[in-house]
Amino acid sequence: MTETSKKVLLSGIQSTGRPHIANYFGAMKQYVDLQDQYDSKIFIADLHSLTTVQNKEELSQNTLDLAIDYLAVGLDPKKVTIFKQSDLPEVTELAWIFNCITTVPYLMRAHSFKDAEAKNKEINVGLFDYPMLMAADILIHNSDIVPVGKDQKQHLEIARDTAEKFNRVFNTDIFKMPEPYIVDSVAIVPGIDGQKMSKSYNNHIPLFSTDEEVKKLVMSIVTDSGAGIPVNVYNIHKLFRDEKYLDKLYKEHEGKYKALKDALAEDIIAFISPLRARREEIAKDPEAVREMLKNNAKKLKLEVDEMMQKVREAVGL
Ligand code: TYM
C-alpha cells in the first residue's frame, strides 16, 4: 500500500512525567505493533499537560523526554510521524469552534471532570474543556483509528459526537468518525495495589525504571495474607509472560509470595533493560530529536491547513 492509501492512526500521551508500564501495554505497544499497517501520527499532548504541569522547565523537559521514550519503545521515525501537539496551534482553533457547539451540561458528564469534582479539586477551564481539545486532536487529522486504554473510551465517544454534531450543524461531511482501538486484555492495566495503574494513584511502575526501583516496587505489591495465588502479582506478571507459563510457576510456588515477586521483578527487569539502554543512546542527541519534531510539524502543517480551510469555510469565518 502506498502512504496515501493507508488509513490514519492517531494517538497521544500527556507529557506529565515518566510514562509507566500501563501507558506502554495499554497504548504505546499498539502504536508499535500497528506502525506498518497505518499512516501513524503519534504526538506529545503538551497542551493537555498544561492543565496540570505549570512549570516551564518541567513541561519542556517532559515533552522532549516523551519524544525520546517513543523512539526508545520502538516507534520508527521513518514510518511514524511523531510530533508535538502545540506545534500545530490550529488544533486550539478547532477546539474553540467545537466549544461553540457543545453545551456545558454535556461536558459535565465527562468522567475526567466528575472525578476531579468528586475529589474536590480546583478545576481549571482547560481541564473542563479537555475533551474538546482531544476531539480536535483526533478530527483535525482525519483519523480512522485511535489506540487508547479504556479510560479514554468516553473521550473517543465525545470526539465522535462532536464530529457528528459539527457535520449536522454546518450541513457538511468534513469530519469522519474515528474508531477507538482498545485491546481487551490490557484495557485497564492494574497497579501495585490492584487498582487501575495511574500516576495520580501513585501505584505505578515507571517504564524506564532502574533495577532497584523495579525490585522495590514489586516488593511493595499488595498481597493478602492468606495462601493461594497473589492476584495483584499475577495480574502484573501476565503482561510479561503467557498464562500457561505462569500457571505452572504459580502452582509450583503456591503461597511463596517472596519467590513469585522475585520472579516477577526478574521478568520486568529483563523486559526494561534493553529499552532503557536504547533510551540512553537516543538521549545522547536531544538536538536530533528536537529537529525531528520540528520537521514533522512542518510536514503536518500543510495537511492541517487544508483541513482548517474547509472548517473555516463551513462555519463562515
Ligand atoms: P494519558 O497520557 O493519561 O495516557 C496515555 C495512554 O495510556 C493509557 N493508559 C492505560 N491503559 C491501560 N491501563 C491503564 N492503567 C492505563 N493508564 C493509562 C491511556 O488510556 C492512554 O491511551 N487524553 C489522553 C491523551 C490524548 C489523546 C488525544 C489520546 C490527548 N489527545 C487524542 C488519543 C487521541 C491522555 O490523557 O492519556
Side-chain angles (χ1 to χ4, degrees):
M1 248 194 260
T2 64
E3 185 75 11
T4 45
S5 65
K6 282 183 176 173
K7 289 196 166 185
V8 175
L9 176 153
L10 175 123
S11 198
I13 297 181
Q14 293 194 67
S15 45
T16 46
R18 301 159 78 193
H20 48 63
I21 61 170
N23 296 136
Y24 176 78
F25 287 101
M28 290 165 131
K29 183 169 186 297
Q30 280 64 262
Y31 311 164
V32 178
D33 291 346
L34 299 171
Q35 64 183 335
D36 288 318
Q37 244 169 293
Y38 288 89
D39 172 11
S40 295
K41 304 178 203 294
I42 301 294
F43 69 98
I44 302 148
D46 57 344
L47 289 171
H48 277 116
S49 305
L50 196 54
T51 62
T52 52
V53 180
Q54 292 165 356
N55 174 297
K56 169 178 152 183
E57 283 80 21
E58 198 184 329
L59 186 61
S60 60
Q61 187 61 48
N62 285 350
T63 301
L64 174 68
D65 280 343
L66 185 53
I68 297 172
D69 298 339
Y70 281 150
L71 295 168
V73 297
L75 287 186
D76 179 346
K78 291 195 199 77
K79 297 177 185 159
V80 180
T81 310
I82 301 173
F83 69 103
K84 187 166 87 166
Q85 185 184 32
S86 62
D87 277 340
L88 299 172
E90 291 80 0
V91 77
T92 58
E93 180 188 352
L94 184 58
W96 175 258
I97 294 171
F98 289 162
N99 281 339
C100 299
I101 58 164
T102 304
T103 69
V104 170
Y106 176 80
L107 280 185
M108 283 174 81
R109 292 203 294 270
H111 300 314
S112 46
F113 170 72
K114 287 207 288 195
D115 288 351
E117 214 187 19
K119 287 184 192 135
N120 255 332
K121 282 194 187 160
E122 200 173 77
I123 300 167
N124 57 51
V125 178
L127 188 72
F128 180 67
D129 199 34
Y130 190 109
M132 289 295 100
L133 183 59
M134 180 155 164
D137 287 328
I138 296 169
L139 299 174
I140 206 168
H141 294 286
N142 249 326
S143 312
D144 293 290
I145 71 156
V146 184
V148 283
K150 194 164 174 204
D151 59 352
Q152 299 297 318
K153 189 165 183 257
Q154 191 196 33
H155 286 150
L156 259 295
E157 281 156 13
I158 294 175
R160 290 169 58 91
D161 283 353
T162 306
E164 194 273 323
K165 189 160 184 187
F166 182 97
N167 287 348
R168 183 161 42 82
V169 169
F170 296 107
N171 194 21
T172 168
D173 58 0
I174 289 179
F175 293 118
K176 68 172 151 195
M177 289 291 152
E179 294 290 339
Y181 181 91
I182 300 172
V183 176
D184 276 348
S185 57
V186 287
I188 306 175
V189 173
I192 58 174
D193 57 359
Q195 286 190 80
K196 178 194 146 191
M197 185 177 289
S198 166
K199 249 173 269 172
S200 53
Y201 301 156
N202 203 18
N203 63 356
H204 59 293
I205 302 176
L207 179 59
F208 298 98
S209 301
T210 62
D211 295 356
E212 285 320 304
E213 273 179 299
V214 171
K215 286 181 198 157
K216 203 165 152 231
L217 286 166
V218 169
M219 287 313 145
S220 60
I221 295 177
V222 179
T223 48
D224 54 31
S225 49
I229 286 187
V231 181
N232 293 340
V233 182
Y234 185 93
N235 283 341
I236 296 178
H237 218 157
K238 257 192 339 203
L239 300 166
F240 301 91
R241 292 277 191 178
D242 67 52
E243 294 191 26
K244 215 169 133 203
Y245 173 92
L246 287 184
D247 289 345
K248 190 160 167 273
L249 182 79
Y250 279 65
K251 212 175 177 113
E252 274 168 21
H253 293 86
E254 209 173 314
K256 294 185 207 138
Y257 291 178
K258 170 80 172 56
L260 290 169
K261 283 184 172 179
D262 284 340
L264 171 59
E266 206 176 294
D267 286 339
I268 298 181
I269 288 169
F271 174 80
I272 286 180
S273 316
L275 293 186
R276 215 174 45 209
R278 191 148 50 171
R279 194 185 188 292
E280 277 164 21
E281 270 314 299
I282 298 164
K284 283 182 187 158
D285 193 357
E287 262 328 297
V289 179
R290 287 198 187 94
E291 197 58 28
M292 170 192 78
L293 294 176
K294 221 167 79 191
N295 290 337
N296 285 344
K298 248 193 235 157
K299 184 179 113 187
L300 290 173
K301 183 120 183 118
L302 300 172
E303 295 171 19
V304 159
D305 272 346
E306 200 183 311
M307 174 59 108
M308 286 312 293
Q309 286 304 344
K310 287 195 228 161
V311 169
R312 292 181 200 120
E313 162 107 4
V315 304
L317 286 171

